[in-house]
Amino acid sequence: MERTDTDVDTFLRGVEGRQGDDMRALDELIAAELAGLERVMWEGPMWGGTDQLIVGYGGISQPRPRGASVEWFLVGLAAQQRHLSIYVNAAEDGAYLVKAAADRLGKVKVGSAAITFATAADVDLDALRSLLCRARELTPDAR
């Protein structure tokens, strides 16, 4: 994936229906919690090979287990075919924050760094805010 010049607001206005409404509401929440950090589009194939459009908040240099660090986002927001995803690329004590917060985030599925859910109403927004705040605290070099 690569950081692109696509305008985030134009992209979000183009997402239709309930997913669009949820994306815009979540964007507002995430942007407020991560105020002052970059907010840009990331586009292209994700590691699994599927093309993605992700709103990325906060640029970071993320170490990889094998090889050099990669430029990435601290938090990402994406609409998939059947669900929404929020990616939180921050860890504490060797574990992604998402895993530690899984039981507080609401009616969601949790992967290593991903939260997936059908609608924004499924997410405990207070727990999400707390997670975002902690992610920011743990990555003071995010830009």
Side-chain angles (χ1 to χ4, degrees):
M1 293 202 79
E2 295 182 359
R3 184 186 277 120
T4 69
D5 292 333
T6 302
D7 182 71
V8 172
D9 293 318
T10 301
F11 164 74
L12 289 172
R13 282 192 299 274
V15 182
E16 298 178 348
R18 184 185 72 212
Q19 265 198 339
D21 294 340
D22 285 349
M23 287 277 290
R24 288 181 288 276
L26 290 167
D27 170 69
E28 187 174 315
L29 181 149
I30 296 167
E33 289 301 317
L34 302 178
L37 300 183
E38 70 178 19
R39 177 177 166 262
V40 299
M41 289 300 302
W42 286 78
E43 300 179 42
M46 195 76 151
W47 294 296
T50 60
D51 279 339
Q52 298 285 318
L53 298 168
I54 300 176
V55 180
Y57 309 83
I60 61 171
S61 182
Q62 187 175 42
R64 304 303 304 160
R66 293 177 293 274
S69 295
V70 296
E71 291 303 306
W72 203 227
F73 48 80
L74 175 59
V75 175
L77 173 64
Q80 314 296 340
Q81 256 187 339
R82 294 188 180 100
H83 62 272
L84 298 171
S85 297
I86 296 175
Y87 304 95
V88 181
N89 296 303
E92 185 170 33
D93 298 327
Y96 279 108
L97 291 181
V98 167
K99 288 279 198 186
D103 62 338
R104 298 184 308 274
L105 290 169
K107 186 180 169 186
V108 302
K109 292 182 182 174
V110 171
S112 295
I115 307 163
T116 60
F117 47 93
T119 71
D122 294 334
V123 181
D124 182 313
L125 298 180
D126 288 333
L128 178 60
R129 281 185 192 93
S130 178
L131 176 70
L132 296 171
C133 181
R134 185 66 184 143
R136 186 166 190 172
E137 288 171 357
L138 290 169
T139 52
D141 58 340
R143 52 197 182 284

